[in-house]
Amino acid sequence: MSDLFGANDPSAEPDALFEAPREPEPDIEPQVRRTSVAPSGANAPLAARMRPASLDEVVGQQHLLEPGAPLRRLVEGSGAASVVLYGPPGTGKTTLASLISGATGRRFEALSALSAGVKDVRAVIDLARRRLTHGEQTVLFIDEVHRFSKTQQDALLAAVENRIVLLVAATTENPSFSVVAPLLSRSLVLQLQPLGPDDIRALLERARTDARGLAGAVEIADDALDHLVRLAGGDARRALTALEASADTALAVAGDAGAVIDLATVESSIDEAAVRYDRDGDQHFDVASAFIKSLRGSDVDAALHYLARMIVAGEDPRFIARRLMIQASEEVGMADPTALQTAVAAAQVVQQVGMPEAQLALAQATIHIATAPKSGAVTAALGAAIADVKAGKAGPVPAHLRDGHYQGAQKLGNAIGYKFPHAHPDGVLAQQYTPDELVGVDYYEPTGRGVERELSARLPKLRRIVRGER
C-alpha cells in the first residue's frame, strides 16, 4: 500500500498534487525554481481535480475552521499571521494554503524543501518585495519545511517578521523539534488531524458524483466504499487515488454497461486484499487479543502476523503502541527491563513521525517483547500490594520515615532516627520501611528467567539486611 501512494519514495512531494495554478508572472519577476504544478483539466489526477475550491468544500479540521478560529480568519482573508500547518499527509495542508492565497487575491508561490535551496527562498522573497511595491501580497507555501536546514529557515525570518510574505509552512513532523525557534515564535502552529471515516466517505462520494470528478459514471458497493475508507487511513489524497484506480478498472470491464466498483474491483485495482476487521467490532477485540496472547506466548511470528493485520486494516497506531507498552511491563517486566524502553520509544516514533514509517518501530517493539524472557512477577507483586491496601492493611507510616522538612516536625517525632543508606558502605542497612502490620511481607517474587535470575539471588540478601536478619 505504501508503494502505491508513494509513501516510501524519497523523491515524492507529498502535497504537490494540491498546488494551485498561477497566472502569468509580470515582467518584474526573476527566475524562481518552484514546485511543479499538477496538470489541470480532465487529464489531471482525480485528487487534483477535486481540490476544494472554497472553504465550504473542505472536509475535516473543524477544530481549526470554526467561526473566529485563526485558520478560518486566514482563509477568509481577515488574518495576517504566518502559520505552520502540522499534520499527516493528505489532511489538506496545501489546499488550505491555496485557499489562504485566494482569499484576498494574494499571489501564491510554492516551494518544496526537498528540492529548493537558500537561493530559491531568497529569489521568492525578492519577488514578493517587488510585488509589494505594486500593491500585491504574496503567500509563500513551503512543503516539508522540516527538511530545510537551519540556514534555510533563518533566511525566512526577516521576510516573515516584516510581512513581506505570508508564510504557510507544512510539515508532517512535530515543529517543536524540526522548525527553528525564531520562526516558530513568528508563526501560529496549527495541528491538523487525520480525516475521520465520515470525512473520507463524504469526500469519496463527492468525487464519484461531482462533475469535476467521476460525474456519476460509476456506482460503488457499500463494502467497496468501506474498504476504500479503511485504506485511506485518514489521508484524502490516498483515498481519491484509490478511488480513481478502482473506477478505471470498473469502466474498463463494464464497457457500455453500468460500471460498478465492488470489493473485488478495489482489491484488484490496488493489489491489496480487504482485511475483515472492524475497529469497533468483534474483529478488533479478537485480533488485539490474539496479538497480546502471541506476545505473552513468545510466538514472534504470530505476533507479527496480527500486528500486520492491524496495520493493514487501518488500526490506530497509538492503540498498538499502548498495548506494547502495557505488555512490556505486564508480560516481561524485570526479566528484561529494556523491553519497556523499546515500547516507549516506539510510541514516541508513532507520535513524532507517524505512519507508515512508524510501523517499523512497532514491529521492532513487537519482536523485542515476543522474544524477551517472560515474567509476570511485576504484575503479581503490584496486585498483591493493592489487595492488601484494599483489605485495610495500610497502617501509619513509621515515624522516622515521615516528612521532616517543616517547622515543628521534630516536635511531632517525625523524621527522628532515620538512617541514610548512602552513608553506609554497602548502600543498604537495617531499617523498618513498611507499616507495622506488613513487616516481613514479601510481594515481589522474581522468576529465574532473564535479568530476574540475578535478582532472585540478590533480593533475599537485600531483605535479610533491611530486616536486620543477618
Side-chain angles (χ1 to χ4, degrees):
M1 179 171 67
S2 58
D3 289 339
L4 172 65
F5 300 112
N8 294 331
D9 181 2
S11 66
E13 299 181 359
D15 281 319
L17 290 176
F18 288 152
E19 290 166 8
R22 295 182 293 272
E23 300 173 1
E25 307 291 354
D27 293 337
I28 62 170
E29 301 189 357
Q31 289 294 108
V32 179
R33 182 174 61 187
R34 302 180 177 93
T35 306
S36 58
V37 177
S40 60
N43 293 326
L46 181 62
R49 302 200 305 270
M50 292 306 301
R51 173 197 295 280
S54 69
L55 194 57
D56 292 337
E57 293 186 353
V58 175
V59 296
Q61 316 310 335
Q62 293 309 305
H63 64 296
L64 299 177
L65 295 173
E66 60 187 13
L71 187 55
R72 175 173 281 275
R73 292 202 306 272
L74 279 170
V75 173
E76 291 177 342
S78 59
S82 291
V83 295
V84 176
L85 300 177
Y86 160 44
T91 50
K93 297 186 291 293
T94 316
T95 293
L96 290 168
S98 179
L99 290 175
I100 292 169
S101 167
T104 56
R106 297 183 179 105
R107 302 296 292 272
F108 184 75
E109 296 293 336
L111 295 176
S112 172
L114 291 166
S115 57
V118 172
K119 179 180 177 181
D120 303 300
V121 172
R122 288 175 176 162
V124 171
I125 292 172
D126 288 342
L127 172 58
R129 187 178 288 109
R130 293 177 183 226
R131 283 177 175 161
L132 274 178
T133 64
H134 292 75
E136 285 187 304
Q137 293 182 308
T138 301
V139 172
L140 172 56
F141 174 68
I142 298 181
D143 196 17
E144 300 288 303
V145 70
H146 59 273
R147 296 181 183 272
F148 263 175
S149 67
K150 182 180 183 297
T151 300
Q152 290 169 305
Q153 294 185 34
D154 286 344
L156 295 164
L157 293 177
V160 171
E161 186 167 18
N162 296 323
R163 295 188 176 173
I164 294 170
V165 297
L166 177 66
L167 176 67
V168 180
T171 176
T172 55
E173 296 190 7
N174 190 330
S176 298
F177 301 102
S178 57
V179 178
V180 295
L183 190 56
L184 281 181
S185 68
R186 291 163 171 81
S187 309
L188 293 175
V189 178
L190 304 176
Q191 184 171 7
L192 281 68
Q193 301 295 336
L195 301 185
D198 291 340
D199 295 326
I200 295 293
R201 197 178 303 274
L203 187 71
L204 290 171
E205 184 59 25
R206 181 193 299 165
R208 187 188 70 81
T209 57
D210 195 286
R212 293 173 298 170
L214 302 177
V218 297
E219 298 293 330
I220 184 166
D222 289 342
D223 57 350
L225 181 60
D226 290 341
H227 189 41
L228 287 172
V229 171
R230 284 196 299 270
L231 289 178
D235 185 327
R237 184 169 47 255
R238 180 183 295 179
L240 292 171
T241 302
L243 175 63
E244 186 172 28
S246 302
D248 288 345
T249 300
L251 290 167
V253 171
D256 295 333
V260 177
I261 300 174
D262 57 16
L263 184 57
T265 303
V266 176
E267 290 176 348
S268 63
S269 299
I270 61 177
D271 193 26
E272 184 166 334
V275 178
R276 313 299 178 189
Y277 189 96
D278 178 359
R279 285 175 57 178
D280 298 316
D282 291 343
Q283 282 293 313
H284 164 84
F285 297 105
D286 288 346
V287 173
S289 177
F291 178 61
I292 291 166
K293 290 170 182 173
S294 298
L295 290 170
R296 181 185 299 142
S298 299
D299 191 331
V300 64
D301 305 295
L304 285 169
H305 166 76
Y306 292 117
L307 172 66
R309 282 175 65 167
M310 289 189 285
I311 288 173
V312 171
E315 179 61 80
D316 185 343
R318 294 171 300 179
F319 167 79
I320 302 173
R322 286 195 295 269
R323 290 313 317 174
L324 287 168
M325 288 189 286
I326 293 168
Q327 296 307 108
S329 290
E330 186 175 355
E331 312 296 354
V332 178
M334 291 301 296
D336 181 358
T338 65
L340 181 57
Q341 298 171 11
T342 301
V344 170
Q348 291 176 329
V349 173
V350 168
Q351 175 66 26
Q352 297 180 15
V353 178
M355 299 293 271
E357 291 84 356
Q359 64 191 20
L360 297 176
L362 294 174
Q364 182 177 342
T366 295
I367 292 169
H368 190 151
I369 294 169
T371 57
K374 300 299 186 295
S375 170
V378 169
T379 304
L382 179 59
I386 289 175
D388 274 356
V389 171
K390 289 183 176 180
K393 297 179 181 180
V397 172
H400 59 282
L401 297 184
R402 295 174 193 169
D403 181 20
H405 293 89
Y406 60 92
Q407 189 174 4
Q410 291 192 349
K411 291 181 179 180
L412 297 175
N414 293 350
I416 297 174
Y418 171 68
K419 291 179 283 187
F420 193 58
H422 291 299
H424 192 278
D426 294 332
V428 59
L429 44 75
Q431 185 162 234
Q432 180 179 335
Y433 291 97
T434 60
D436 292 342
E437 61 186 301
L438 293 175
V439 170
V441 174
D442 297 344
Y443 290 125
Y444 177 51
E445 295 293 344
T447 68
R449 298 184 288 275
V451 175
E452 284 192 324
R453 183 184 302 112
E454 178 184 346
L455 289 176
S456 63
R458 182 166 176 254
L459 183 56
K461 297 177 183 177
L462 289 173
R463 283 174 172 158
R464 285 197 298 271
I465 294 172
V466 169
R467 295 169 184 175
E469 297 173 355
R470 73 167 190 178

